[in-house]
DNA sequence: TGTACATCAGTGAACGCGCGTTCACTGATGTAC
DNA sequence: TGTACATCAGTGAACGCGCGTTCACTGATGTAC
């Protein structure tokens, strides 16, 4: 009885130990990086024998997959939460909130960030199960974009006065629009794709050390770029102060 | 005699074998990625005994450093060559040429690209000697930016009508301007920093698989973004056709 | 409520493998006289 | 031009280490009657 609500001791232990394994693996990511993540080291640190891990993850790659999914889910949840907290505040402000949340998560979890947005782990093939979590941040951006274009306010003329989308891009943009931001015109979608790559491009540059000695700290650069990108994707300029609270 | 011009057999052999070691190491980067690069495997493939490599590189990290420097030099040289080939063609056209060359190199050498622009190799500290080669692409962009702003033509009003640079960014931008693009106003420099991170951000997304199933192939997206970025940094619009030869 | 059996977590040893680096050595190449 | 010595590239064995995965096992937990 209570089945489904109450877990057996075994099930509870299993869930807890699975979480502990992942937590320890995450800790080791920081020290060694994904390609060197070692089942034996994780087991050692947990006081288990290495073969015991195989009761929880059938192989090293499955553990990696779990970490990757968790990381995508965490950064996606951070973006969703930030945008929800700014609900009703106008698309531009929510865009800012989203970017800042993503950056904060990345800075706070640089090795998990590298796991999902860094160079692919050689020999590792991401399974289908990572696709949906990987799309969460993009979905958030798509949603606030659609909202922004539905808002009344000054028509973002600049975002429309652009050359036609070349070649295949027009069709690609149409599909993206249908999937995540219906009703938003092509050039704004294209701009959003640029903004999306830019957001992570900046974070990668910052976290991977390419900005070292050039724009360091990068907080103000980031905030400035976020505004430029808001222009690019045609989010209406807000009546509230232009600089984010940081 | 002929010293300095003519090498001894030993010197010649040394240079050749050093090159062969690096070439083989580069081949293995593709198969295994930087963190797994193995001296022993390189030696094995070259028909040498592993300890022989120590006559050429004092440690594994030194071999990695050599590969990193070579990669920065190669991508820098590609950018320089492309811009030089378009000399006298107007800054916007040279910007295109630069971006396309960087992309072509990255696509042709994805593992070397990942080596320098991907997640840092854990435990590896890049020495000072990598700094100058790492800056070559940025220097190219800086130079054509300075040229673009010296060109006659329509004043890129948009690039100037921007909010003031927030906080530390103003000073950071001043230093960058002094170093690589003297005479260019702050907002254009800031835009260029955005364009620079965007260029590599897009390439990383493309090469690391984040664009898979969204904008694929990314050629047209890339070309479109390059034009948007040219606007952002205030390069004058050219009289020649807007789409690059691809 | 109590017993018999099935399920499952964790053990410990083993397989077969690879790694970076050191060291004393041999033999070829280069240099000084 | 020829000899004596110094330099250097490459060898092969060894050190000490770590890895992922398999397998037969013990003992605790869960389930059906």
């Amino acid at each position: 009885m209570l089945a489904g609500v109450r877990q057996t001791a075994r099930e509870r232990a299993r869930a807890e130990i699975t979480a502990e394994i992942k937590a320890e693996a995450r800790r080791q990511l920081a020290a060694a990086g994904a390609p060197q993540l070692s089942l034996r080291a994780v087991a050692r640190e947990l006081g288990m024998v290495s073969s015991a891990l195989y009761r929880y993850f059938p192989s090293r790659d499955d553990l990696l997959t779990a970490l990757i999914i968790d990381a995508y889910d965490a950064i996606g949840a951070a973006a969703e939460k930030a945008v929800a907290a700014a609900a009703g505040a106008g698309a531009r402000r929510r865009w800012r909130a989203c970017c800042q949340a993503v950056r904060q998560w990345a800075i706070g979890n640089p090795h998990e960030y590298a796991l999902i947005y860094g160079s692919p782990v050689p020999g590792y093939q991401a399974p289908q199960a990572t696709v949906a979590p990987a799309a969460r941040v993009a979905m958030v951006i798509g949603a606030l974009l659609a909202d922004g274009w539905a808002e009344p306010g000054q028509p973002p003329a600049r975002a429309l006065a652009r050359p036609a989308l070349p070649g295949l891009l027009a069709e690609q943009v149409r599909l993206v629009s249908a999937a995540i931001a219906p009703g938003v015109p092509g050039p704004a979608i294209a701009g959003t794709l640029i903004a999306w790559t830019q957001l992570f491009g900046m974070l990668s540059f910052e976290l991977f050390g390419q900005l070292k000695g050039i724009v360091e700290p990068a907080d103000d650069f980031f905030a400035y770029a976020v505004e430029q990108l808001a222009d690019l994707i045609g989010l209406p300029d807000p009546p509230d102060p232009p600089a984010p609270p940081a």
Side-chain angles (χ1 to χ4, degrees), chain A:
Chain A
M1 51 242 69
L2 288 175
V5 164
R6 186 80 108 117
Q7 300 167 299
T8 64
R10 238 188 211 162
E11 283 164 335
R12 217 168 326 138
R14 180 163 244 286
E16 266 172 35
I17 295 184
T18 303
E20 272 172 40
I21 292 171
K22 291 199 288 190
E24 178 58 35
R26 242 172 259 127
R27 237 168 283 138
Q28 298 204 6
L29 272 190
Q36 327 270 36
L37 176 67
S38 145
L39 284 190
R40 290 189 102 110
V42 169
R44 210 181 300 131
E45 215 57 36
L46 254 36
M48 300 168 87
V49 100
S50 65
S51 51
L53 287 202
Y54 286 81
R55 300 274 170 222
Y56 298 89
F57 297 94
S59 78
R60 201 194 84 113
D61 275 9
D62 290 275
L63 175 54
L64 256 189
T65 298
L67 295 177
I68 288 172
I69 290 176
D70 281 4
Y72 276 129
D73 274 331
I75 198 170
E80 286 163 10
K81 196 178 144 207
V83 168
R92 195 188 192 94
R93 212 156 162 187
R94 276 178 290 154
W95 159 250
R96 271 181 212 145
C98 174
C99 291
Q100 295 291 345
V102 166
R103 178 159 181 260
Q104 286 315 313
W105 187 90
I107 289 174
N109 304 272
H111 300 94
E112 285 177 84
Y113 178 88
L115 179 64
I116 51 181
Y117 291 108
S119 6
V121 181
Y124 172 83
Q125 257 289 14
Q128 194 58 28
T130 59
V131 172
R136 283 175 71 170
V137 172
M139 297 292 289
V140 170
I141 297 176
L144 61 79
L145 178 70
D147 279 9
W149 280 80
E151 269 176 29
Q154 42 315 47
R158 182 191 299 172
L160 285 171
R162 290 222 189 85
L165 307 181
L168 295 175
L169 186 57
E171 175 61 9
Q172 290 165 342
V173 150
R174 214 186 50 71
L175 291 172
V176 169
S177 176
I180 67 168
V184 177
I189 295 278
T192 304
L193 288 172
I194 293 177
W196 175 59
T197 58
Q198 170 71 22
L199 170 58
F200 290 100
M202 268 189 300
L203 288 178
S204 294
F205 255 40
E206 180 176 5
L207 292 171
F208 300 167
Q210 302 282 349
L211 297 183
K212 207 168 280 174
I214 298 171
V215 265
E216 202 186 18
D219 305 61
D220 294 320
F221 173 56
F222 187 83
Y224 180 79
V226 164
E227 298 306 315
Q228 296 294 312
L229 293 171
D231 290 348
L232 188 70
I233 66 188
L235 297 182
D237 243 319
D240 49 63

